[in-house]
Amino acid sequence: MTDARTLLIGFLRRIIDGGDVTNDELNAATVDPAALRGAERNAWHGLSYWADDDDIRSKDPAYAPARRSQLADLLTDLENDNDG
């Protein structure tokens, strides 16, 4: 089983690199969002918002780059967090 941090980092990198993550993927992940704390919890919420906002991204071409930038910040926080 892959740990939560590894999954979150993989999902974040995929989006930052121009890919996507869906709610189905998040729901199928072996991550218990209620058990996450700190940077991991923030990353999960950022990913969840991304998955929920596919309709906004399809209507507003400036939205995805702005969100990817925010997710990059979450990735940096997650990679620098030693409490996880």
Side-chain angles (χ1 to χ4, degrees), residues 7-67:
L7 281 169
L8 294 169
I9 288 171
F11 284 152
L12 288 168
R13 284 190 178 146
R14 185 188 325 165
I15 294 169
I16 292 163
D17 290 342
D20 198 12
V21 171
T22 66
N23 274 316
D24 288 342
E25 290 176 287
L26 289 177
N27 292 336
T30 55
V31 176
D32 177 7
L36 300 176
R37 300 289 177 259
E40 290 179 353
R41 185 172 183 87
N42 293 338
W44 179 266
H45 284 292
L47 289 164
S48 180
Y49 294 142
W50 173 270
D52 288 341
D53 291 347
D54 60 334
D55 59 328
I56 298 170
R57 289 191 308 277
S58 69
K59 295 175 190 171
D60 182 358
Y63 187 77
R67 288 293 296 134

